[in-house]
Amino acid sequence: MKTSMPAFTRSYHAALRNHLQQRSNLNEVDKAHLLGHRALNLGLTVHDLAGIHEESLLRIILPAGPARSKAADIRRGVAFFASAAEPIEEGRHRTRKATTYLKNTIGALTQRTRELASSNKKLKREIARKKAVKKSLRISERTSTQLLKQSCRMQEELRLLSRRLLSVQEEERKRISRELHDVVAQTLTGINVRLAMLKTETTASAKDLHKK
């Protein structure tokens, strides 16, 4: 920018001189507008441009000329300066709009970042909750598997006990049946023996025999 400033100042001085000498506004005003864009690109402010304009105007007007002519040149110089300053003003306006837009965008992004951070925290909590539920389900699944195996073992033991019980009951029925058979046989044998004894005692009285 330092190397460009002298060149810009010379260009501005020459354009202003031509504008004041030719008495034609159109081309020189267009040149002033282009100079304003150059000044904007150089980062000059309206105040900076005003200083360059004042310096150029003093160099052109002060050396010679009547007061009336000087006043007219000053008025024409004001128009030239206004045209040159217009791009800077427009740029400053665009800068303000851009700054406002940037601030609004930053505010929106900040709010969005906060929302995303909050959502991220909720998501982490949800993931932790799901992990805990998943872990609980795995534990429950293992427990259910163990209980199922235990139930299968108990059912198998119950079937074995049932078979053993049936076997024991069958053996008990056989034993009771054998005992009953032996008792009945012994009783019948005793009756037969007693009847044989009674037969041999027919000599006894009928009353005594009937009683026996």
Side-chain angles (χ1 to χ4, degrees):
M1 179 177 174
K2 291 182 179 180
T3 58
S4 300
M5 277 294 296
F8 175 78
T9 302
R10 289 193 297 271
S11 297
Y12 190 92
H13 181 80
L16 179 59
R17 180 182 294 277
N18 291 334
H19 174 68
L20 297 178
Q21 290 177 351
Q22 293 180 6
R23 306 296 181 180
S24 174
N25 293 329
L26 183 59
N27 293 333
E28 300 305 322
V29 169
D30 290 340
K31 289 182 180 180
H33 205 69
L34 292 174
L35 286 171
H37 284 290
R38 283 183 59 186
L40 180 63
N41 293 332
L42 290 172
L44 299 179
T45 65
V46 175
H47 184 268
D48 296 331
L49 187 63
I52 295 173
H53 176 79
E54 183 180 7
E55 181 183 353
S56 300
L57 197 62
L58 291 175
R59 288 182 182 181
I60 296 170
I61 296 176
L62 284 182
R68 182 177 298 178
S69 177
K70 291 181 180 180
D73 287 341
I74 290 174
R75 287 193 299 270
R76 287 171 55 79
V78 170
F80 186 88
F81 171 78
S83 180
E86 183 177 352
I88 299 177
E89 287 293 329
E90 291 177 353
R92 188 172 64 176
H93 178 68
R94 285 194 299 269
T95 301
R96 285 199 301 267
K97 289 181 64 177
T99 302
T100 302
Y101 175 77
L102 184 61
K103 288 181 179 179
N104 293 336
T105 302
I106 291 173
L109 288 176
T110 302
Q111 180 63 27
R112 182 59 178 165
T113 301
R114 291 173 181 171
E115 293 174 357
L116 288 175
S118 178
S119 299
N120 190 34
K121 289 181 180 179
K122 292 180 181 179
L123 182 60
K124 287 182 178 179
R125 287 196 296 267
E126 183 65 18
I127 291 174
R129 188 188 68 82
K130 288 185 177 180
K131 286 183 177 179
V133 171
K134 190 175 181 180
K135 182 179 180 181
S136 177
L137 288 175
R138 286 199 298 268
I139 295 174
S140 177
E141 183 178 359
R142 287 197 295 268
T143 304
S144 299
T145 302
Q146 293 174 357
L147 290 175
L148 180 60
K149 291 180 180 179
Q150 184 178 358
S151 176
C152 292
R153 286 197 303 270
M154 292 179 68
Q155 289 179 358
E156 183 64 24
E157 292 175 358
L158 181 60
R159 284 194 292 269
L160 292 174
L161 288 174
S162 297
R163 286 197 293 268
R164 289 179 59 187
L165 179 61
L166 290 175
S167 178
V168 170
Q169 288 177 345
E170 183 65 21
E171 292 294 330
E172 184 68 15
R173 283 195 294 268
K174 289 180 181 180
R175 185 186 65 77
I176 292 173
S177 178
R178 286 194 299 269
E179 290 180 356
L180 288 176
H181 180 271
D182 293 342
V183 171
V184 171
Q186 291 175 5
T187 302
L188 290 176
T189 300
I191 291 173
N192 289 331
V193 171
R194 186 61 178 160
L195 288 174
M197 291 176 64
L198 291 174
K199 186 177 180 180
T200 60
E201 296 175 358
T202 54
T203 56
S205 63
K207 183 177 179 181
D208 187 35
L209 180 63
H210 178 71
K211 181 179 179 182
K212 292 180 180 179

